[in-house]
């Protein structure tokens, strides 16, 4: 499709696509400029979805007047349209140009504990980000603009600055915002008769501050106000999880089981904790008190590493506000036929782990040094959100921007130029060697240099490798391609048939056994995040799938950290380890190990070996043996 900006033809190419959501696609125009193009009703993503096709028509009609009336003099952190993009005749608006934020990270990532820990992002930095965001929200309200569908995917963070995107959905003048994200929409504006939040009344400044408060809690605790599992003693009080915001059943409710990976809410100051109570349980509204951000000071406990806004660590001093039981620190624990042996513990953070010839290798960061499992130093420096790591035996691969290098013992040191997907280097490795993407080609480390495997879409492809085969996919414009390849071969099979997903891809991961790969996706569709799993054979045949609402408590609540072997998958949950298998096109839970509950939570990573099952957490590793 071609679009025109100031009468100049802009030819859209999949190679220039940099982002795809439920309503539009974004392209890199060069010169630090981006072009956002709205999806047309006949877009393949809407095929067979008449309601979505009609919604696309309605949006396009509204944009013809709304974007021409876009308010001027918005705060600089709001990424406003610069020039309108039209059809050849210049009559119909189909998009707009805007500044391109390179290297920015969605605020959603800051509510991911593993991302925050591995990137070394402290709560003081989060405070700076939210103070900056607070200033932007206040300035928008001052010029009578309401954000409306305010969520953690339309806030991008660059260092400690927060930028607002998707401004075409802002609410101003007579133009109401019709979109909503159920995790952030104010329940006071929703239909109380529904079983989940459904927007019924127009947004207002108070609803923006409500969403701001939700995002702040998520980024500090790694759980939203209605997270955890509601287990009322009276079965008659049970309700679906998505109904809880409408009933104000929060994490503070005594009958809500608090998620293990979350930070105890007792780390908050009394004033901030009281405000969260008032907002989410007593419907307090109004501008978020900026003093609660400015006056908050964090202390990191030297013992447990938790940051708190209290004089004494609430975890180590047994505060009654703490809603989590930390696992014991004994070297070996025997409980309910499970023997857990702690094989490693650090005051820092474990960044990566991998099995190599049935042995677990790992990389950790402590006191300014990146170290391997034997204590040897790999490099020194600060944690960096833009760095990626891979382990290949005793060799460590380090990636940043478009470069990957190998450090440590390796017969042939590597220094690679690689493509990037979502800003991260596209690379992976197994016991055979290293695999990477460069200029749209999938390459493998060979005996005398790089070996060509196949063609993919540059800077839009994600892939992973197992011992026998690899899997990858890319999507841009009308392209939706998934592929498998033999790790020793010289071709790819791009005829893998997976359902086309509509919304915005938030995250993805993949694990392998010899004959199966398990693909996990997190996708935001119409304001809700869904987690999907697909099981794919070496020949590219998709044989089973599963999907849940990402807010549900399930083996699929976290898409990372799982271990595959044979025809089964092991996943860690807050209730223990579960075993899953593909059966009749579905992924079925076939066995539970509730006696492992004391030793795992949903954020753990599992690795199976002949010695037992390794459980890797943020700062410790245990070897489990189940009798």
């Amino acid at each position: 499709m071609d679009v025109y900006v100031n009468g100049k033809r802009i030819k859209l190419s999949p190679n220039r696509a940099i982002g795809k959501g439920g309503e539009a696609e974004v392209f890199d125009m060069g010169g630090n400029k981006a072009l956002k193009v709205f999806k047309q009703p006949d877009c393949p993503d809407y095929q067979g979805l008449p309601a979505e096709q009609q919604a696309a028509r309605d949006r396009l009609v509204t944009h013809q007047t709304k974007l021409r009336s876009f308010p001027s003099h918005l705060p600089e952190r709001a990424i406003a349209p610069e020039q309108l993009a039209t059809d050849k005749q210049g009559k119909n608006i189909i998009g707009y140009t805007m500044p391109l934020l390179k290297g920015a990270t969605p605020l959603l990532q800051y509510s991911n504990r593993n991302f925050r820990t591995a990137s070394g992002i402290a709560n003081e930095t989060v405070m700076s980000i939210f103070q900056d965001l607070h200033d932007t929200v206040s300035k928008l309200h001052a010029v009578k603009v309401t954000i409306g569908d305010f969520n953690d995917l339309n806030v991008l963070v660059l260092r400690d600055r927060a930028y607002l995107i998707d401004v075409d959905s802002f609410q101003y003048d007579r133009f109401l915002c019709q979109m909503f994200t159920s995790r952030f929409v104010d329940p006071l504006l929703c239909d109380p008769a529904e079983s989940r939040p459904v927007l019924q009344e127009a947004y207002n400044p108070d609803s923006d501050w409500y969403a701001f408060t939700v995002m702040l809690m998520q980024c500090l605790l790694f759980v939203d106000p209605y997270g955890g599992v509601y287990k009322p003693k009276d079965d008659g009080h049970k309700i679906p999880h998505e109904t809880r915001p409408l009933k104000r059943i929060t994490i503070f409710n005594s009958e809500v089981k608090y998620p293990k990976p979350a930070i105890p809410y007792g780390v908050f100051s009394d004033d901030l904790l009281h405000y969260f109570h008032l907002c989410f349980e007593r419907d307090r509204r109004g501008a978020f008190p900026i003093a609660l951000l400015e006056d908050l000071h964090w202390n990191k406990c030297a013992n447990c590493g938790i940051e708190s806004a209290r004089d004494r660590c609430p975890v180590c001093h047994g505060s009654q506000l703490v809603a989590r039981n930390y696992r014991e620190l004994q070297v070996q624990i025997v409980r309910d036929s499970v023997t857990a042996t702690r094989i490693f513990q650090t005051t820092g953070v474990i960044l990566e782990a991998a099995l190599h010839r049935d042995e677990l290798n790992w990389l950790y960061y402590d006191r300014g040094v990146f170290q391997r499992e034997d204590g040897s130093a790999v490099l020194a420096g600060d944690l960096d959100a833009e760095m990626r790591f891979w382990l290949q035996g005793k060799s460590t691969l380090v990636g940043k921007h478009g470069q990957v290098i190998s450090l440590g013992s390796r017969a042939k040191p590597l220094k690679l130029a690689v493509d990037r997907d979502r800003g991260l280097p596209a690379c992976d490795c197994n016991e055979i060697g290293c695999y990477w993407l460069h200029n749209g080609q999938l390459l493998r480390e060979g005996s005398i240099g790089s070996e060509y495997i196949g063609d993919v879409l540059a800077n839009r492809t994600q892939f992973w490798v197992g011992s026998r085969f690899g899997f990858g996919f890319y999507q841009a414009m009308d392209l939706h391609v998934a592929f498998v390849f033999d790790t020793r071969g010289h071709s790819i099979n791009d005829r893998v048939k997976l359902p086309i997903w509509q919304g915005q891809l938030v995250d993805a991961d993949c694990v392998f056994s010899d004959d199966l790969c398990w693909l996990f996706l997190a996708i935001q569709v119409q304001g809700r995040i869904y987690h999907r799993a697909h099981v794919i054979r070496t020949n590219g045949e998709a044989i089973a799938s599963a999907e849940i609402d990402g807010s549900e408590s399930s083996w699929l609540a976290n898409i990372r950290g799982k271990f595959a072997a044979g025809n089964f998958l092991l996943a860690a949950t807050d209730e223990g380890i579960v075993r899953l298998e593909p059966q009749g096109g579905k992924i079925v839970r076939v066995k539970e190990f509730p006696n492992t509950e004391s030793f795992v939570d949903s954020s753990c990573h599992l690795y199976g070996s002949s010695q037992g099952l390794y459980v890797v957490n943020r700062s410790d590793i245990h070897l489990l043996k189940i009798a």
Side-chain angles (χ1 to χ4, degrees):
M1 180 174 70
D2 295 336
V3 301
Y4 290 78
V5 177
N6 284 337
K8 181 181 178 181
R9 177 173 174 249
I10 306 294
K11 186 171 181 60
L12 302 182
S13 165
N15 289 319
R16 298 176 68 181
I18 56 175
K20 184 173 185 176
E23 301 176 10
E25 192 155 10
V26 180
F27 299 83
D28 187 346
M29 295 180 63
N32 292 321
K33 300 295 180 183
L35 172 65
K36 182 173 184 177
V37 179
F38 304 117
K39 291 181 180 178
Q40 301 295 307
D42 60 354
C43 175
D45 293 354
Y46 299 148
Q47 185 175 358
L49 301 169
E52 292 301 309
Q53 293 170 342
Q54 185 58 48
R57 293 188 191 95
D58 294 342
R59 282 194 298 272
L60 288 169
V61 170
T62 300
H63 286 321
Q64 303 312 305
T65 52
K66 183 177 182 179
L67 288 178
R68 287 190 170 96
S69 306
F70 199 83
S72 58
H73 308 299
L74 292 187
E76 62 176 333
R77 300 284 194 266
I79 305 301
E82 293 184 329
Q83 297 175 312
L84 298 180
T86 68
D87 58 11
K88 186 175 182 179
Q89 292 71 33
K91 294 182 178 179
N92 295 315
I93 296 172
I94 55 179
Y96 58 85
T97 67
M98 59 186 176
L100 175 61
L101 290 176
K102 291 187 176 181
T105 302
L107 185 63
L108 171 69
Q109 285 283 64
Y110 285 72
S111 62
N112 180 319
R113 188 171 183 180
N114 288 333
F115 168 81
R116 283 272 308 281
T117 304
S119 304
I121 300 171
N123 282 342
E124 291 290 355
T125 301
V126 174
M127 291 297 99
S128 296
I129 292 168
F130 274 88
Q131 288 179 55
D132 188 68
L133 183 59
H134 190 286
D135 181 65
T136 300
V137 176
S138 299
K139 289 177 178 176
L140 286 169
H141 292 169
V143 294
K144 301 188 182 308
V145 172
T146 299
I147 299 169
D149 185 22
F150 193 12
N151 64 77
D152 55 7
L153 281 173
N154 61 28
V155 179
L156 298 182
V157 178
L158 194 59
R159 291 179 287 277
D160 59 352
R161 300 192 295 270
Y163 294 85
L164 289 167
I165 60 171
D166 294 338
V167 298
D168 50 272
S169 68
F170 281 7
Q171 181 171 289
Y172 54 90
D173 293 337
R174 68 183 186 278
F175 303 105
L176 299 181
C177 177
Q178 306 292 342
M179 300 297 296
F180 70 95
T181 302
S182 57
R183 294 175 293 131
F184 301 100
V185 65
D186 188 344
L188 293 177
L189 304 183
C190 296
D191 186 347
E194 293 283 350
S195 60
R196 61 182 179 87
V198 176
L199 184 66
Q200 159 177 278
E201 299 180 24
Y203 287 111
N204 55 57
D206 282 352
S207 61
D208 282 351
W209 289 119
Y210 173 85
F212 177 96
T213 309
V214 174
M215 287 185 266
L216 177 64
M217 174 182 274
Q218 281 191 170
C219 290
L220 293 176
L221 294 184
F222 310 115
V223 63
D224 67 61
Y226 309 99
V229 180
Y230 179 46
K231 292 186 175 182
K233 296 176 182 177
D234 185 343
D235 287 346
H237 293 166
K238 288 183 177 180
I239 59 172
H241 179 84
E242 56 267 28
T243 308
R244 283 175 52 192
L246 303 176
K247 303 297 183 182
R248 316 301 194 266
I249 300 174
T250 73
I251 58 173
F252 305 124
N253 189 294
S254 61
E255 294 185 312
V256 170
K257 185 177 181 182
Y258 200 74
K260 288 183 182 180
I263 296 291
Y265 55 75
V267 301
F268 289 145
S269 66
D270 289 338
D271 289 342
L272 183 57
L273 188 59
H274 182 59
Y275 186 84
F276 284 143
H277 271 281
L278 291 176
C279 179
F280 301 124
E281 294 198 330
R282 304 297 180 186
D283 294 337
R284 167 73 68 85
R285 295 295 184 266
F288 186 92
I290 187 62
L292 291 180
L293 300 178
E294 294 173 338
D295 298 341
L296 204 62
H297 300 287
W298 297 90
N299 304 303
K300 186 173 183 178
C301 177
N303 183 43
C304 71
I306 294 291
E307 290 186 275
S308 77
R310 296 181 177 271
D311 293 335
R312 297 198 309 170
C313 176
V315 173
C316 297
H317 290 86
S319 167
Q320 293 302 309
L321 294 174
V322 175
R324 171 178 175 179
N325 293 321
Y326 281 76
R327 67 170 59 88
E328 298 92 332
L329 298 179
Q330 291 96 330
V331 173
Q332 188 172 87
I333 308 168
V334 180
R335 181 177 298 151
D336 297 331
S337 72
V338 177
T339 301
T341 305
R342 192 183 72 232
I343 66 169
F344 179 74
Q345 187 175 41
T346 177
T347 56
V349 56
I350 299 170
L351 299 172
E352 191 67 38
L355 279 175
H356 182 74
R357 296 176 180 172
D358 204 40
E359 291 186 4
L360 187 70
N361 301 130
W362 62 89
L363 173 74
Y364 67 101
Y365 178 84
D366 193 9
R367 298 178 179 89
V369 181
F370 296 83
Q371 299 171 261
R372 287 297 301 264
E373 62 279 349
D374 59 1
S376 60
V378 175
L379 73 159
D382 296 328
L383 289 170
D384 188 337
E386 296 183 334
M387 292 178 71
R388 289 282 308 278
F389 301 95
W390 301 267
L391 306 182
Q392 190 184 37
K394 298 302 179 182
S395 179
T396 306
L397 278 66
V398 182
K400 185 174 180 179
H401 299 156
Q403 298 288 326
V404 173
I405 62 172
S406 64
L407 300 172
S409 58
R410 202 172 194 277
K412 294 185 300 180
L414 281 178
K415 186 175 182 180
L416 308 172
V418 300
D419 291 345
R420 292 186 285 173
D421 180 74
R422 294 186 292 175
L424 297 174
C427 178
D428 204 0
C429 61
N430 59 14
E431 58 270 23
I432 298 172
C434 185
Y435 302 73
W436 68 97
L437 305 179
H438 181 56
N439 289 335
Q441 293 185 335
L442 175 59
L443 304 171
R444 177 184 55 236
E445 180 183 5
S447 57
I448 57 174
S450 61
E451 296 180 350
Y452 170 83
I453 299 176
D455 292 324
V456 295
L457 185 61
N459 298 316
R460 294 292 293 165
T461 301
Q462 294 189 63
F463 81 99
W464 301 262
V465 295
S467 58
R468 290 186 55 197
F469 74 109
F471 170 84
F473 68 84
Y474 53 87
Q475 59 168 358
M477 298 181 67
D478 297 342
L479 293 175
H480 297 267
V481 178
F483 59 90
V484 293
F485 59 96
D486 188 323
T487 54
R488 298 180 183 272
H490 293 85
S491 65
I492 64 174
N493 170 8
D494 59 5
R495 296 186 298 276
V496 178
K497 300 299 182 184
L498 293 179
I500 295 176
W501 56 85
Q502 296 176 50
Q504 182 176 355
L505 180 66
V506 176
D507 197 7
D509 196 24
C510 192
V511 296
F512 296 82
S513 62
D514 284 345
D515 301 313
L516 299 175
C517 82
W518 298 70
L519 171 67
F520 305 100
L521 305 170
I523 304 166
Q524 177 164 277
V525 182
Q526 296 181 344
R528 302 176 72 183
I529 290 183
Y530 295 89
H531 289 178
R532 295 181 181 176
H534 299 282
V535 186
I536 302 155
R537 288 197 172 118
T538 56
N539 63 1
E541 179 188 6
I543 61 172
S545 62
E547 178 179 282
I548 67 162
D549 186 309
S551 62
E552 295 179 22
S553 176
S554 160
W555 67 272
L556 198 46
N558 184 356
I559 69 168
R560 295 183 176 273
K562 295 163 179 54
F563 170 72
N567 72 328
F568 68 88
L569 181 83
L570 295 179
T573 74
D574 283 4
E575 287 74 43
I577 295 171
V578 297
R579 173 173 169 151
L580 304 116
E581 295 179 5
Q583 294 182 7
K586 298 181 180 180
I587 299 175
V588 180
R589 185 187 299 220
V590 296
K591 192 172 183 179
E592 299 177 354
F593 301 90
N595 50 358
T596 62
E597 179 180 2
S598 300
F599 310 105
V600 301
D601 61 50
S602 57
S603 70
C604 293
H605 288 235
L606 304 180
Y607 301 87
S609 73
S610 59
Q611 291 82 35
L613 186 65
Y614 291 103
V615 178
V616 180
N617 215 307
R618 283 170 292 277
S619 59
D620 56 51
I621 301 175
H622 283 77
L623 178 64
L624 298 191
K625 295 184 178 181
I626 305 173

